[in-house]
Amino acid sequence: MSPGAIAAAHNISLRSLHRLFQEQNLTVAGWIRARRLERCRRDDRPARAIAARWGFADPAHFNRAFRAAYGMPPGDYRHRALSSRPLQAAVSLEQSQAEEREAFADDLGRVMLSDDRGGL
């Protein structure tokens, strides 16, 4: 997912997309990163596989970004999460991609609607 793809999917210019996010004191890149990290947080695979699946080419960068967002490295977070709930079946790649596209569209729709109503 990229700012250009989001803008094209919603038939708006890239500049308009950035302006919408700026009005909400957000950046498009920061919003995409937060969404990806949220999906990573829910994934039960090893950290290296999670990083690759959600667009983090460098595992060290993924570890730093995850730690900054959640206060601990992904391995520690996963260990705590797995010890506090039963293992769930892995979601198919196609289903997770469809969910990701739907979540991006829903979130962006809320940002765009909030612009029409004067804020969140």
Side-chain angles (χ1 to χ4, degrees), residues 4-119:
I6 294 169
H10 292 278
N11 296 316
I12 61 173
S13 71
L14 189 56
R15 183 178 177 139
S16 294
L17 177 70
H18 284 291
R19 191 175 316 116
L20 285 171
F21 277 80
Q22 184 180 19
E23 291 169 1
Q24 302 298 324
N25 293 321
L26 301 169
T27 65
V28 179
W31 178 78
I32 291 171
R33 184 176 38 258
R35 295 292 303 153
R36 284 185 175 151
L37 285 168
E38 176 60 26
R39 296 293 185 175
C40 291
R41 187 178 65 85
R42 297 180 190 172
D43 202 321
D44 288 338
R45 290 178 275 189
R48 186 176 288 274
I50 293 170
R53 164 66 186 95
W54 294 103
F56 291 91
D58 179 19
H61 173 70
F62 168 64
N63 271 326
R64 287 189 300 271
F66 193 96
R67 184 188 298 259
Y70 299 107
M72 66 183 76
D76 291 354
Y77 185 91
R78 185 170 139 230
H79 177 70
R80 284 187 184 185
L82 291 175
S83 65
S84 66
R85 64 178 168 83
L87 289 175
Q88 297 176 345
V91 176
S92 71
L93 179 59
E94 294 81 18
Q95 184 179 355
S96 66
Q97 288 173 332
E99 289 173 356
E100 176 185 8
R101 284 190 299 272
E102 186 177 316
F104 275 122
D106 289 347
D107 286 350
L108 183 58
R110 281 192 289 279
V111 168
M112 293 175 78
L113 284 174
S114 69
D115 181 55
D116 293 340
R117 292 184 293 215

